[in-house]
């Protein structure tokens, strides 16, 4: 293919740039490529261009270094311009009727209500959905292969004349059509099964193009049920690259291709929405060209450019949307920056029985800067389990209280709220700060009293679940909200907080470390601080894969630990026996383990218990009234039990790696060596075992997240209830990291003020179409 030939020239250039080839190598290499492909070059009318290319290449041998580099640049430019020759012209079709992006797909020619229903099933409702419906592959039908040259197993286009034909009725269920097709080099047999209607198209004397896989058996070349196109003459064949779409029952590839042709013809009314700055900076194809290139590319180069451009389109729009939100959140400045004295926090630091890590000091500084500034803080604090996020947030809370404001700390569950309350109120008491707990179970009378005191400003710090900001809770002077959770706290919720009148600073802490790409995308509207250092003296948890046949040795190990006054978790994927899943469950195993370890106290914790009972059980475990806790993944987040040293997880393949990491993080909180056993049964496949084995070899949550993300993709990685995750059609969050970060940089230059979008109506409407719902842009745009 011609663009592959041009690619080969470009490849030589790359080799030179990497110093694999020398200046003197270029001309001979170019010459060889040109010579070997002279026929194709002539066919495309490129002879003069290639000659010019060779002249450049020859010149490189003669000149000195400075001139060489100039020529080299020209040469590269020239190759790029050659490539551009193979891109489409703008599609110009006169408008027949008024179309819009939202024209129902059923009105497109060849569609109608029945096919529209099938397309709807694939997520295509309107014209715009089809514009961005990516083929899963492409078929190259530009090259016609002579029958003589067609190789066994190859997918090729053959053009020939039907010289013979027979219909064979094998039995009442099977009728075969056999055609003999001839070109000037040989003959091939073409067979169709139970497709009698094909007789209407193909008969003796018909000239046709056939596309299919060659099978070569007993000296006979064959094609079974190929795609075909009847031709008037041999030259009639339309050479093109065809899209291969995902299908659904009732739609064939040919039907959907015909629809697609029609749809692509309807792109004439589209206007580019990406600002020119971006098109130029990243050398993108314009809208119509990128869509044409997606569906019916003129060359593979065109296709690649189109896909590359669509990736940028996606990244740019997404970054525009989140940066817009970020700017919008900052638009309402705080009335005052907080006056941080730091006396109380210094006192607190003196009271700690450890030294802050450098990472903790750095993150604390970043937060303090936000607190004192006039822009409301909107910050994410990321850090692995046990990296000491709570201390950092406590320091900030203390500063805020000292400056005369109240703080709210929100956690996802009431179990955690209680634990955090116990810890924080103890820490804050000596500082003279008043802390209260407000959760669902708080008695009604107490609730009323607490709300009253919040309103009067008698409480400095309130700890609880989300309810504390959603209910009719009023503060005297709320200055700071800490959200300790792994779920995404939506833009909308943050806007609600802002609308409450005051402009509290917001710090979100994630328990799940996420890879940089994702942090940038999903928390892109926030500033990010990372605790990338563990407190000193922590012993890494030792993780082992253990076959379930060796369970007894795990029990023996657990027994030893228990005898040393340590505590144990056993985790199961199910609460109770399931009819459909052959898995161990917490309830039955609780009975069994209570029997195995009958010298010790065993507790059972799962999500089906009422939350007051959950709290009680967790409390008892923390107070060592239980030595063993048998549980489901409800113990996942934030629980801190210093003497817990062993985590046994059965059916670990039932959990995501990030979740396993969270679970594992429940042990190793103190100074003792801790262990995690993943119990593997025989049914676990090799891939999963490899994944778990990779997991067992690292204690780094960021690494775990990367493995997890690669394995499961971003949707599952975040879990189903996650909101705020747009689906990308073209971007791969891992592979396309550089596209995302380049786009982000450029968007940050482009969009400095929300008003910068003011006159870009087309862009704004495109942003609404894409991200109106998923990132709640609708509320601000
Ligand atoms: P995270 O919330 O990030 O999982 P925590 O803030 O709960 O972690 O801290 C885990 C444990 O480590 C707590 O017991 C805490 O007191 C302790 N800790 C925090 N920072 C340090 C430090 N710099 N040195 C030693 N221990 C620390
Ligand atoms: Mg924590």
């Amino acid at each position: 293919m011609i663009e592959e030939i041009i690619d080969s020239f470009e490849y030589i250039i790359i080799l030179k740039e990497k110093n694999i080839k020398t200046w003197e190598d270029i001309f001979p290499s170019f010459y060889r490529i040109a010579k070997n492909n002279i026929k194709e070059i002539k066919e495309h009318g490129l002879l003069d261009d290639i000659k010019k290319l060779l002249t450049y290449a020859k010149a490189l041998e003669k000149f000195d270094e400075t001139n060489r580099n100039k020529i080299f640049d020209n040469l590269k430019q020239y190759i790029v311009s050659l490539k551009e020759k193979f891109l489409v012209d703008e599609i110009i079709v006169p408008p027949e009727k008024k179309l819009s992006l939202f024209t129902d797909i059923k009105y497109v020619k060849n569609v109608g209500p029945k096919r529209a229903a099938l397309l709807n099933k694939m997520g295509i409702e309107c014209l715009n959905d089809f514009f961005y419906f990516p083929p899963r592959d492409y078929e190259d039908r530009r090259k016609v292969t002579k029958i003589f040259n067609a190789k066994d197993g190859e997918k090729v286009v053959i053009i020939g004349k039907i010289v013979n034909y027979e219909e064979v009725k094998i039995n009442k269920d099977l009728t075969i059509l056999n055609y003999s097709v001839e070109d000037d080099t040989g003959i091939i047999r073409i067979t169709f099964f139970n497709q009698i209607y094909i007789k209407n198209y193909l008969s003796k004397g018909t000239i046709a193009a056939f596309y299919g896989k060659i099978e070569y058996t007993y000296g006979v070349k064959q094609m079974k049920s190929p795609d075909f196109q009847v031709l008037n003459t041999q030259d009639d064949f339309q050479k093109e690259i065809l899209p291969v779409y995902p299908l659904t029952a009732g739609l064939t590839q040919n039907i959907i291709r015909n629809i697609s042709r029609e749809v692509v013809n309807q792109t004439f009314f589209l206007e580019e929405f990406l600002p020119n700055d971006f098109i130029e900076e990243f050398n993108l194809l314009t809208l119509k060209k990128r869509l044409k290139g997606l569906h019916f590319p003129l060359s593979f180069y065109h296709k690649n450019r189109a896909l590359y451009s669509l990736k940028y389109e996606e990244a740019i729009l997404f970054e525009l949307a989140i940066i817009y939100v970020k700017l919008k959140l900052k638009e309402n400045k705080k009335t005052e920056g907080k006056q941080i004295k730091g006396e109380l926090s210094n006192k607190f630091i003196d009271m700690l029985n450890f030294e802050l890590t450098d990472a903790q000091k750095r993150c604390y500084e970043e937060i303090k800067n936000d607190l004192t500034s006039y822009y409301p803080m909107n910050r994410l604090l990321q850090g692995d389990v046990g990296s000491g996020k709570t201390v950092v947030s406590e320091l900030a809370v203390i500063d805020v209280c000292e400056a005369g404001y109240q703080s709210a700390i929100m956690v996802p569950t009431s179990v955690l709220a209680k634990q955090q309350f116990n810890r924080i109120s103890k820490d804050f008491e000596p500082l003279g700060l008043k802390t209260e707990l407000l959760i669902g179970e708080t008695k009604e009378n107490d609730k009323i009293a607490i709300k009253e005191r919040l309103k009067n400003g008698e409480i400095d710090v309130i700890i609880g679940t989300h309810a504390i900001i959603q209910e009719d809770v009023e503060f005297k002077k709320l200055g700071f909200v800490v959200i300790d959770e792994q779920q995404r706290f939506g833009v909308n919720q943050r806007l609600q907080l802002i609308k409450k009148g005051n402009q509290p600073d917001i710090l979100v802490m994630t328990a799940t470390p996420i890879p940089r790409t994702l942090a940038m995308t999903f928390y892109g509207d926030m500033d990010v601080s990372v605790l990338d250092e563990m407190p000193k003296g922590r012993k890494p948890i030792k993780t082992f894969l253990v076959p379930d046949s060796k369970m007894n040795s795990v029990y023996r190990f657990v027994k030893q630990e228990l005898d040393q006054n340590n505590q144990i978790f056993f985790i199961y994927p199910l609460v109770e026996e399931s009819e459909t899943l052959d898995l161990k469950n917490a309830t039955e195993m609780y009975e069994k383990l209570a029997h195995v370890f009958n010298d010790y106290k065993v507790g059972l914790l799962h999500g089906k218990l009422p939350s007051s009972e959950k709290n009680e059980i967790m409390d008892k475990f923390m107070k060592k009234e239980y030595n063993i806790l048998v549980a489901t993944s409800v113990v996942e987040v934030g629980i801190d039990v210093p003497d817990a040293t062993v985590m046994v997880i059965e059916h670990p393949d039932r959990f995501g790696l990030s979740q396993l990491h969270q679970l594992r993080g429940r042990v190793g909180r103190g100074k003792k060596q801790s262990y995690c056993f993943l119990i593997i049964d025989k049914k676990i496949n090799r891939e999963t075992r490899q994944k778990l084995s990779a997991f067992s070899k690292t204690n780094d949550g960021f690494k775990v997240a990367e493995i997890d993300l690669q394995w499961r993709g971003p949707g599952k990685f975040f879990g189903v209830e996650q909101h705020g995750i747009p689906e990308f059609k073209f971007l791969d969050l891992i592979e396309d990291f550089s596209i995302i970060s380049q786009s982000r940089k450029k968007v940050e230059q482009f969009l400095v003020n929300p008003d910068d979008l003011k006159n870009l109506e087309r862009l704004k409407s495109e942003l609404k179409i894409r991200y109106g719902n998923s990132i709640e842009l609708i509320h601000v745009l």
Side-chain angles (χ1 to χ4, degrees):
M1 294 303 108
I2 190 71
E3 62 278 354
E4 278 150 25
I5 298 169
I6 297 171
D7 278 348
S8 326
F9 287 118
E10 199 169 36
Y11 186 58
I12 304 295
I13 299 285
I14 293 168
L15 293 182
K16 169 64 191 88
E17 283 178 334
K18 294 194 167 155
N19 287 323
I20 295 168
K21 295 228 172 210
T22 66
W23 294 119
E24 286 74 22
D25 291 333
I26 296 179
F27 177 75
S29 306
F30 272 25
Y31 184 76
R32 211 170 316 116
I33 296 168
K35 201 175 132 217
N36 291 341
N37 297 287
I38 195 69
K39 198 165 145 246
E40 184 118 16
I41 290 170
K42 277 185 185 159
E43 259 175 34
H44 283 84
L46 281 187
L47 196 57
D48 286 345
D49 294 296
I50 301 298
K51 274 185 185 162
K52 189 151 175 213
L53 210 56
L54 288 173
T55 320
Y56 276 130
K58 192 78 196 161
L60 286 174
E61 291 182 3
K62 296 181 193 145
F63 287 90
D64 64 14
E65 204 63 19
T66 36
N67 284 316
R68 264 177 180 166
N69 280 317
K70 262 187 225 150
I71 295 169
F72 195 54
D73 282 341
N74 286 337
L75 183 63
K76 284 194 280 187
Q77 280 285 322
Y78 198 70
I79 290 180
V80 170
S81 71
L82 269 183
K83 286 187 157 194
E84 300 288 331
K85 277 198 176 184
F86 296 96
L87 296 179
V88 225
D89 291 328
E90 297 277 324
I91 301 149
I92 305 159
V93 179
E96 287 157 20
K97 50 187 176 232
K98 199 134 178 62
L99 288 171
S100 84
L101 293 175
F102 302 108
T103 301
D104 193 316
I105 195 73
K106 74 179 172 211
Y107 298 121
V108 172
K109 204 171 129 195
N110 296 330
V111 183
K114 268 196 195 140
R115 284 178 182 170
L118 297 174
L119 290 170
N120 291 168
K121 272 213 292 201
M122 297 197 292
I124 303 167
E125 310 259 344
C126 63
L127 213 44
N128 197 40
D129 295 333
F130 207 118
F131 289 154
Y132 289 93
F133 180 57
R136 61 172 172 77
D137 201 0
Y138 297 85
E139 276 173 12
D140 190 354
R141 303 216 187 159
R142 293 171 304 168
K143 195 173 155 206
V144 177
T145 302
K146 294 293 183 190
I147 293 172
F148 178 78
N149 294 329
K151 291 187 195 69
D152 190 21
E154 238 182 349
K155 274 192 124 182
V156 293
V157 177
I158 296 279
I159 293 183
K161 190 176 185 171
I162 295 173
V163 290
N164 208 349
Y165 146 76
E166 57 174 356
E167 182 177 333
V168 191
K169 201 168 166 68
I170 307 279
N171 57 41
K172 76 175 196 328
D173 293 325
L174 181 60
T175 305
I176 294 181
L177 297 180
N178 273 326
Y179 292 94
S180 299
V181 174
E182 198 180 73
D183 69 4
D184 51 9
T185 66
I187 198 156
I188 188 166
R189 172 157 4 137
I190 300 213
T191 311
F192 295 94
F193 304 88
N194 286 345
Q195 286 170 284
I196 299 299
Y197 67 90
I198 280 176
K199 283 198 290 185
N200 300 332
Y201 303 101
L202 301 178
S203 52
K204 206 164 165 175
T206 310
I207 296 171
F210 300 91
Y211 178 80
K213 197 161 131 193
I214 299 287
E215 287 176 37
Y216 195 50
T217 35
Y218 305 113
V220 180
K221 281 183 185 170
Q222 253 202 88
M223 249 188 210
K224 286 177 186 157
S225 307
D227 245 20
F228 64 88
Q229 186 190 339
V230 176
L231 307 173
N232 288 324
T233 68
Q234 304 258 357
D235 301 331
D236 211 17
F237 176 64
Q238 196 177 350
K239 294 181 178 177
E240 60 184 347
I241 297 170
L242 287 180
V244 181
Y245 294 101
L247 295 175
T248 186
L251 283 177
T252 66
Q253 201 54 250
N254 276 330
I255 293 174
I256 202 161
R257 272 178 193 155
N258 285 336
I259 296 170
S260 177
R261 263 186 225 285
E262 204 48 49
V263 167
V264 171
N265 281 338
Q266 305 302 346
T267 51
F268 59 84
F269 72 89
L270 292 179
E271 282 166 52
E272 180 60 82
F273 46 79
L274 289 178
N276 224 351
D277 274 27
F278 290 95
I279 304 267
E280 276 171 15
E281 168 99 13
F282 300 122
N283 196 16
L284 306 179
L285 295 183
T286 48
L287 181 57
K288 285 175 225 181
K289 284 185 185 176
R290 46 183 196 268
L291 292 178
K292 166 85 177 162
L294 175 66
H295 297 283
F296 290 97
L298 293 198
S299 64
F300 281 103
Y301 173 67
H302 184 198
K303 182 209 81 177
N304 292 339
R305 279 284 303 274
L307 288 174
Y308 156 96
S309 301
L310 287 162
K311 280 173 189 274
Y312 271 98
E313 178 191 302
E314 242 175 1
I316 292 163
L317 286 174
F318 183 72
E319 294 299 340
L320 278 168
I322 48 180
I323 298 219
Y324 185 81
V325 169
K326 182 172 178 175
L327 293 171
K328 212 65 192 169
L329 286 168
K330 284 209 164 136
E331 208 172 36
N332 309 305
K333 286 193 182 178
K334 293 189 280 198
T335 45
E336 50 191 13
K338 296 183 171 79
Q339 302 285 330
I340 306 266
K341 293 199 205 76
E343 280 169 26
L344 275 187
S345 47
N346 278 334
K347 199 169 155 194
F348 178 67
I349 292 172
D350 288 342
M351 276 163 21
L352 290 173
N353 54 4
F354 52 76
E355 211 18 59
L356 292 177
T357 63
D358 287 342
Q360 281 172 319
K361 286 180 195 159
R362 191 190 61 234
C363 291
Y364 176 40
E365 281 307 313
E366 287 166 358
I367 292 167
K368 264 202 295 200
N369 280 338
D370 286 355
L371 291 172
T372 51
S373 101
Y374 277 86
Y375 290 105
M377 165 158 60
N378 193 18
R379 186 171 285 280
L380 176 76
L381 178 60
Q382 264 213 79
D384 207 344
V385 210
S387 60
K389 293 181 289 289
T390 307
V391 182
V392 174
S393 66
E394 280 180 313
L395 283 163
V397 167
I398 293 167
D399 285 334
V400 168
C401 293
E402 193 181 29
Y405 299 79
Q406 293 167 295
S407 299
I409 299 174
M410 301 198 293
V411 295
T413 64
S414 55
V415 174
L416 269 174
K418 280 179 78 172
Q419 182 191 299
Q420 288 295 68
F421 173 72
N422 291 340
R423 171 171 167 188
I424 293 171
S425 58
K426 212 184 293 155
D427 284 345
F428 284 5
E429 213 177 68
L431 303 174
L433 299 178
K434 199 80 197 96
T435 313
E436 273 298 346
L437 175 71
L438 185 62
I439 51 179
E441 302 113 270
T442 309
K443 288 199 194 79
E444 211 47 45
N445 280 343
D446 293 344
K447 267 189 193 163
I448 295 168
I450 289 172
K451 283 182 192 170
E452 195 54 37
R453 286 163 59 219
L454 271 173
K455 204 170 156 185
N456 297 336
E458 287 165 42
I459 295 172
D460 299 301
V461 184
I462 185 84
I463 298 171
T465 48
H466 275 175
I468 53 177
I469 56 147
Q470 282 151 359
E471 275 179 29
D472 55 339
V473 179
E474 283 174 60
F475 293 84
K476 180 159 187 231
K477 200 176 180 188
L478 178 64
F480 188 32
V481 180
V482 179
I483 299 156
D484 186 0
E485 60 166 1
Q486 59 184 85
Q487 306 282 304
R488 178 149 161 71
F489 190 66
V491 171
N492 197 20
Q493 285 157 295
R494 273 178 281 155
L495 283 166
Q496 263 173 10
L497 268 181
I498 288 167
K499 279 187 199 135
K500 275 200 148 188
N502 31 30
Q503 286 270 30
D505 289 302
I506 299 171
L507 180 69
V508 179
M509 305 200 286
T510 54
T512 323
I514 57 176
R516 218 150 57 95
T517 349
L518 286 187
M520 211 159 69
T521 2
F522 295 120
Y523 297 99
D525 52 333
M526 287 191 246
D527 300 309
V528 181
S529 294
V530 184
L531 281 177
D532 48 8
E533 181 188 352
M534 281 291 178
K536 283 189 205 74
R538 277 274 158 76
K539 293 203 174 82
I541 301 160
K542 292 186 177 162
T543 305
F544 301 96
L545 306 193
V546 183
D548 56 359
S549 56
K550 297 255 165 65
M551 201 60 200
N552 278 335
S553 62
V554 172
Y555 287 164
R556 273 198 301 278
F557 189 92
V558 164
K559 179 78 170 47
Q560 282 173 18
E561 289 288 313
L562 286 167
D563 292 345
Q564 289 166 40
N565 207 16
N566 292 332
Q567 289 169 285
I568 319 289
F569 287 101
F570 278 87
I571 307 291
Y572 297 88
L574 300 178
V575 178
E576 292 159 345
E577 193 175 353
S578 149
E579 288 187 1
T580 45
L581 296 167
D582 181 22
L583 300 173
K584 290 184 193 159
N585 65 78
T587 311
E588 276 178 34
M589 289 309 292
Y590 161 71
E591 314 243 321
K592 177 169 178 195
L593 291 167
H595 184 72
V596 173
F597 301 102
N598 56 9
D599 291 344
Y600 291 94
K601 295 215 173 58
V602 184
L604 172 65
L605 180 74
H606 57 71
K608 286 194 180 167
L609 298 171
S611 66
S612 57
E613 211 168 310
K614 272 193 279 189
N615 293 350
E616 208 176 295
I617 291 162
M618 218 41 242
D619 279 348
K620 280 187 166 173
F621 187 62
M622 284 189 274
K623 287 186 204 140
K624 276 199 170 173
E625 285 172 35
Y626 292 130
N627 310 94
I628 296 175
L629 191 64
V630 180
T632 56
S633 60
V634 286
V635 287
E636 195 175 345
V637 195
I639 299 295
D640 205 352
V641 188
D643 278 336
T645 55
V646 181
M647 167 66 61
V648 182
I649 304 173
E650 299 221 43
H651 305 295
D653 49 312
R654 290 277 149 178
F655 302 92
L657 286 192
S658 299
Q659 205 181 8
L660 286 179
H661 184 68
Q662 287 293 321
L663 288 168
R664 177 170 65 177
R666 301 301 126 238
V667 299
R669 309 285 283 190
K671 294 216 163 52
K672 298 173 181 167
Q673 177 62 53
S674 292
Y675 305 87
C676 173
F677 297 104
L678 305 176
I679 312 300
I680 311 285
D681 63 46
K682 283 190 268 331
K683 280 173 253 153
I684 289 185
N685 65 32
R686 223 182 83 219
E687 274 203 332
T688 310
R689 181 187 285 266
Q690 271 171 6
K691 181 176 67 164
L692 292 171
S693 161
F695 170 80
S696 72
K697 292 192 180 92
T698 181
N699 266 297
D700 178 343
F702 287 93
K703 257 201 205 117
V704 170
E706 260 165 40
I707 305 173
D708 202 19
L709 181 68
Q710 271 167 8
W711 228 280
R712 294 194 296 163
K716 291 225 178 82
F717 176 81
F718 274 103
V720 265
E721 318 93 299
Q722 270 299 337
H723 44 99
I725 311 166
E727 284 215 7
F728 291 118
K729 287 192 167 131
F730 302 99
L731 274 178
D732 178 320
L733 288 175
I734 300 165
E735 276 174 16
D736 298 325
F737 177 71
S738 86
I739 292 182
I740 296 171
S741 56
Q742 285 170 26
S743 303
R744 181 169 187 96
K745 234 191 227 149
K746 182 76 191 166
V747 167
E748 276 169 347
Q749 289 164 12
F750 180 85
L751 188 63
V752 186
N753 188 310
D755 277 349
D756 293 340
L757 287 190
K758 212 170 187 176
N759 298 319
L760 302 169
E761 283 313 317
R762 181 71 183 93
L763 177 61
K764 263 163 66 175
S765 74
E766 191 63 32
L767 286 172
K768 267 189 196 160
I769 295 170
R770 302 273 176 122
Y771 299 119
N773 292 324
S774 60
I775 63 171
E776 301 176 74
L777 200 60
I778 229 93
H779 298 284
V780 283
L781 207 65

